[in-house]
Amino acid sequence: MRRSLALASAVCLLAVTACDSSSDSSDGSPETVEELTEEGMVGLALIHRGFEGGDPETDQVLVFHDPDTGAPLQRIELPDGAVDPMASEVPVHGRFSQDWQHFAFVTDEPSAVHLATLTDPEDAEGDEVEGFSYQPVESIAAPQNETLSDPLIHEGRLWYVSDSGDGQPPQALSVPMEAPNGTPNQEGSLALGEGQRPSDWAITPDGSLHIRNSVPTQQVAGGEGQLVVRSTNGTTVNATLTTGGQQWQTFDDATVWGGESALLRPDEGDNAPGGVLLLTLEGQGFSTAELLADEGSPVVQFAPSAERDAVLLQTEQAWFRVGLEDGEVGEAEELFPRYHDASMDGWPLIVRWAQEPPTDPSEEPSESPTG
């Protein structure tokens, strides 16, 4: 049986898989979605594929971890196969609504985008689901001869890509969350690049659509090295920096940092340095600051705080915290060993670092922090 999580001990962090420990309603744990939302959806949110040593295809769980110790605080089950069990980089940070009430995923046969909602334990379908879960409630079926992919939720809209497969650029579409089967807005074409590969795309913190191949490059001087960036409405989304014979690039399929800053990692290679660079555009120039440069291990994923005054970073060995208050880079603090799961790379995927319980969407500011 799948069991609810309570706080794990420090020994659990060293295990090959996340620990399992039982809890019951007598310990004050939330029993309804309303209670869970108010109390328990805070921490470092990771998707484990193959939770507790299970099957990476069917045992997929969203787990909130204590950002200081790594201890699991709360778990929510996902629909079977909702996330590619072996993909190394999946933009899962965009598949959950800001208030955690909704989760979007795709299926291939038949091709469709599905919207799931956070559900009370007693309302879940399936005998194996004993705790909170995301249960599918709406589906957007692909039109004939089309394929749907890349779902993303931003504020009140669900975004996805439709590809006809006839050599034409795929289309980025969006629908309102409250009426996902209505006529979608055609937001933009994903221009085809080398090898007829569709352009990468992202949504900036202020909700703007950024299509990489449709945005002109800008060469930025006034810094150490050669920098080329692509920006949309004042947000730097893509950046490539060549300095000291090494090329650094923005993370693929990662959350957009916001404003005129971006996090860069070195190109893969035997001689690639460890750590990452925090890039900041400054007027006509730019500056960089090294994070985790002495670790000797590549940073594989990261989660900035909502205010962009700190960032959590995972190497292949451990999780670290680096403070960024007042624009100053603080000392790196090693927090806990990285978790393992049964996916190809062997670690859970980052969703985001949630520091405060979610608020009513009607009370949220119209724009996200841009740091």
Side-chain angles (χ1 to χ4, degrees):
M1 287 288 185
R2 301 178 184 177
R3 289 162 283 187
S4 301
L5 278 176
L7 286 176
S9 67
V11 176
C12 295
L13 297 175
L14 302 178
V16 173
T17 59
C19 317
D20 62 89
S21 55
S22 61
S23 64
D24 54 50
S25 59
S26 63
D27 65 3
S29 298
E31 298 182 38
T32 66
V33 166
E34 183 178 4
E35 292 175 353
L36 176 66
T37 303
E38 292 177 352
E39 303 171 12
M41 307 191 77
V42 175
L44 175 63
L46 304 176
I47 287 182
H48 295 247
R49 294 167 292 174
F51 188 72
E52 297 177 354
D55 187 325
E57 178 76 32
T58 58
D59 295 290
Q60 299 186 353
V61 182
L62 172 68
V63 181
F64 289 85
H65 296 266
D66 185 304
D68 294 319
T69 68
L73 303 174
Q74 187 56 252
R75 58 166 288 178
I76 304 168
E77 295 190 32
L78 305 183
D80 290 351
V83 179
D84 188 331
M86 293 299 157
S88 59
E89 293 184 333
V90 182
V92 293
H93 63 274
R95 297 194 178 183
F96 294 85
S97 59
Q98 194 65 30
D99 61 5
W100 300 105
Q101 299 301 303
H102 303 284
F103 168 67
F105 66 102
V106 295
T107 53
D108 294 330
E109 296 181 1
S111 179
V113 171
H114 305 276
L115 191 63
T117 61
L118 186 58
T119 303
D120 288 339
E122 63 182 23
D123 296 329
E125 296 182 3
D127 295 337
E128 292 186 346
V129 179
E130 294 188 353
F132 293 101
S133 63
Y134 285 99
Q135 296 287 319
V137 293
E138 296 278 1
S139 295
I140 303 172
Q144 189 174 6
N145 299 323
E146 293 190 22
T147 301
L148 305 185
S149 63
D150 300 332
L152 185 153
I153 297 173
H154 188 276
E155 295 183 348
R157 299 192 71 82
L158 170 63
W159 297 66
Y160 58 95
V161 171
S162 179
D163 187 357
S164 63
D166 59 1
Q168 297 300 310
Q171 299 295 308
L173 309 175
S174 79
V175 291
M177 294 280 288
E178 65 271 17
N181 280 294
T183 302
N185 286 358
Q186 295 191 16
E187 305 288 357
S189 297
L190 305 187
L192 301 178
E194 184 177 351
Q196 295 295 98
R197 182 182 183 276
S199 175
D200 293 332
W201 65 284
I203 303 296
T204 65
D206 69 356
S208 300
L209 172 62
H210 172 93
I211 299 176
R212 180 187 179 110
N213 291 356
S214 299
V215 176
T217 60
Q218 175 190 2
Q219 296 193 19
V220 183
E224 194 170 314
Q226 298 177 326
L227 174 64
V228 177
V229 301
R230 288 183 170 93
S231 301
T232 292
N233 289 348
T235 292
T236 299
V237 182
N238 308 117
T240 300
L241 173 65
T242 304
T243 179
Q246 176 67 46
Q247 190 173 87
W248 301 74
Q249 293 184 325
T250 40
F251 283 66
D252 293 333
D253 293 329
T255 185
V256 176
W257 188 269
E260 296 186 323
S261 295
L263 211 60
L264 312 183
R265 62 179 169 187
D267 264 3
E268 295 180 1
D270 294 339
N271 297 319
V276 292
L277 297 180
L278 178 62
L279 167 74
T280 303
L281 301 184
E282 300 174 336
Q284 300 302 311
F286 66 91
S287 65
T288 59
E290 295 186 2
L291 312 183
L292 302 187
D294 299 328
E295 289 306 313
S297 176
V299 172
V300 295
Q301 54 185 356
F302 68 90
S305 64
E307 302 300 329
R308 304 306 196 258
D309 58 358
V311 60
L312 301 179
L313 308 106
Q314 185 210 322
T315 69
E316 293 179 341
Q317 282 77 43
W319 277 94
F320 297 80
R321 182 188 187 280
V322 177
L324 302 171
E325 294 184 22
D326 301 322
E328 297 294 326
V329 176
E331 292 291 328
E333 176 187 4
E334 183 171 348
L335 300 176
F336 49 89
R338 60 98 164 174
Y339 268 95
H340 296 250
D341 69 6
S343 64
M344 181 67 74
D345 278 342
W347 52 72
L349 295 167
I350 181 68
V351 180
R352 63 177 172 263
W353 178 10
Q355 296 173 288
E356 299 290 340
T359 59
D360 187 312
S362 64
E363 299 174 357
E364 293 181 359
S366 59
E367 294 187 2
S368 301
T370 55

